[in-house]
Each structure stands twice: as structure tokens, then as C-alpha cells.
Amino acid sequence: MSRDADLTRRRFLGLAGITSLAAGLTCATGAAGYFLLSAVRRSHGAADPSPTPRPLSLKQIERPVITSRTDWGAREPNHEARNESGFYSLLNEEGWREYEGDLRATYTTVVVHHSVILETADDATMREIQDLHMDDRGWADIAYHFGVGTTGAVFEGRALDVRGTHVEGANTGSVGVVFFGNFEETVPTAEQLGAGEDLINWLALRLELTHLAGHMDFNDFTDCPGRNLSYYLEALAQSAGLELGTGGYVEPET
């Protein structure tokens, strides 16, 4: 990222006066994901491996349309979950952790996943993921902060001011974004890539993120987010002005 672009980004963030990002997840306007969409259309399904990132602009910091938990039918968190029981403390480090203060001081990295699960409707996929995470894996809520459907719909997952459970050893301070589908076997849709790009651009600017990584970059025991989505990670990172990889991840102080 150039010095001028970085200054522009920081000036905007300073003017925005972000004090509670989680409270801002209730209303805003959307922005079209032209960068990856055009790459997909040019190549009929394969992105240009060396795309030119579109410049950061005021349009790209508009909050995309996000379906609320209420609207997709989310369950309430279960604070008696067997693997995320109670609330975080020095004696219960695996408990439900709510971040305090400015979230820009907490987050550094967005981590991209694929769901493997895919229902006929995007909202049904989101509910199925939550059921799996709460009932089978014993977590208090869905692991991810956001979901990106095949139609381009974006869904609010776990509250952004709460630690996720989406990447072993690096949950604290990382944003979890899941794309619906099994991308070892299929490819993401153009609508999905465009919506994911807009979401990640917005998160990068609002949280002053520095890096983007795939789940497997942190945990080598998984193929997530699948080879057909991993192919696009460099383009997603470039579009948001982020570096690709785990190098920026620093766990916040206890």
C-alpha cells in the first residue's frame, strides 16, 4: 500500500470516530464488487493471477448489506456449551470472550474459510452451520463472524466484538469469514466473490487490518478454504490493501 493510500485510510478512520463497531452492524448501504467480478467474467471462472487492485476509495468503505442474525433465524448463544463454557477469565481462557475498547486495537487479520455444508438456500446454510457448531462441536455460537452465500448475500454471524472459534491457536484478534460451499469440489460464484470482496474491503478499512489468510495458512491439518477459493485469496488481499499470510497476526494482550 502506498503512503498516500495509507494516510487517506487513516484520515477517514479518524473522522469516522469508531467507538463501537459492533453497534454499527445494523444499517448501511452496499457497494458493488467490481474487481473480482470482472476478473471472473474475463476468464470464465479463473481469476487473473496478477490482477491490478482497485484503489481504495470512499465508495469501498460503505458498509455492505448484511443480513442480521434475527433475519436469518440465529439461535441465541449458549453460555453452558461444553467446549466454550462460561465467560473468559484468566482461569477460563477458553470461555466466551467479549472484547473491550476500540476493535482496531484487537484485530489484525481476516481469515477466510469454506463451509463445506451447502443447503439449497443461503439462510438455511447459515442455520445449518450454526447448528453444527453448537450441537456437534460444543461451541457457544456459530464460529464465524460473517457468512457469504452463493447468491452474494452476506450474513452476520458471531458478534464482531466477541472472539470467534474458527482457527486453532489464532482466534483472538482474527475475523472469521466463511464462504458457503465445498471449494475442493466446486468454484465460488461471481456474486459470492464480489460480495466477499466488498465485505473484506470494508472490514479492512474499518478495523485497520493488515493481513488476509486462509484457514490452512494457520492450521496445516486442514484444506480449508479449498483450492478453488484459495486461488482467489491473493486477489482478495490486494483489493483490500492487505498482505497475504499470517505474518501480521499478533494475539492481543490478556
Side-chain angles (χ1 to χ4, degrees), residues 40-85:
V40 172
R41 288 168 180 155
R42 286 198 307 272
S43 56
H44 303 287
D48 181 349
S50 301
T52 302
R54 55 183 184 176
L56 298 176
S57 68
L58 290 179
K59 181 174 183 179
Q60 291 175 259
I61 53 179
E62 294 177 353
R63 179 186 184 275
V65 175
I66 299 174
T67 303
S68 70
R69 290 174 61 93
T70 299
D71 286 346
W72 63 261
R75 296 160 58 180
E76 290 298 313
N78 173 20
H79 296 302
E80 297 180 358
R82 68 181 185 277
N83 290 326
E84 196 181 3
S85 181

Side-chain angles (χ1 to χ4, degrees), residues 37-209:
L37 279 174
S38 61
V40 172
R41 288 168 180 155
R42 286 198 307 272
S43 56
H44 303 287
D48 181 349
S50 301
T52 302
R54 55 183 184 176
L56 298 176
S57 68
L58 290 179
K59 181 174 183 179
Q60 291 175 259
I61 53 179
E62 294 177 353
R63 179 186 184 275
V65 175
I66 299 174
T67 303
S68 70
R69 290 174 61 93
T70 299
D71 286 346
W72 63 261
R75 296 160 58 180
E76 290 298 313
N78 173 20
H79 296 302
E80 297 180 358
R82 68 181 185 277
N83 290 326
E84 196 181 3
S85 181
F87 290 82
Y88 172 84
S89 71
L90 294 180
L91 298 178
N92 184 26
E93 294 186 357
E94 298 304 315
W96 178 269
R97 182 170 184 176
E98 297 179 358
Y99 299 127
E100 298 179 354
D102 191 335
L103 293 180
R104 292 176 294 177
T106 297
Y107 285 110
T108 61
T109 304
V110 58
V111 182
V112 176
H113 303 259
H114 70 163
S115 66
V116 180
I117 295 170
L118 185 63
E119 300 294 330
T120 55
D122 282 341
D123 58 347
T125 297
M126 197 70 175
R127 289 191 295 272
E128 185 67 19
I129 294 170
Q130 187 185 42
D131 288 346
L132 172 69
H133 289 178
M134 295 180 71
D135 298 337
D136 293 356
R137 299 186 183 176
W139 296 329
D141 196 359
I142 189 169
Y144 313 112
H145 295 100
F146 298 96
V148 183
T150 59
T151 64
V154 176
F155 297 85
E156 178 189 12
R158 185 175 291 225
L160 196 53
D161 63 352
V162 176
R163 177 173 62 185
T165 54
H166 58 97
V167 55
E168 186 174 314
N171 282 310
T172 307
S174 65
V175 185
V177 175
V178 61
F179 286 67
F180 298 171
N182 180 351
F183 300 119
E184 282 292 298
E185 299 178 357
T186 62
V187 296
T189 68
E191 294 80 6
Q192 191 171 33
L193 288 170
E197 180 192 16
D198 285 338
L199 173 65
I200 291 169
N201 286 351
W202 177 71
L203 289 169
L205 288 164
R206 294 298 299 270
L207 295 173
E208 292 192 356
L209 302 177

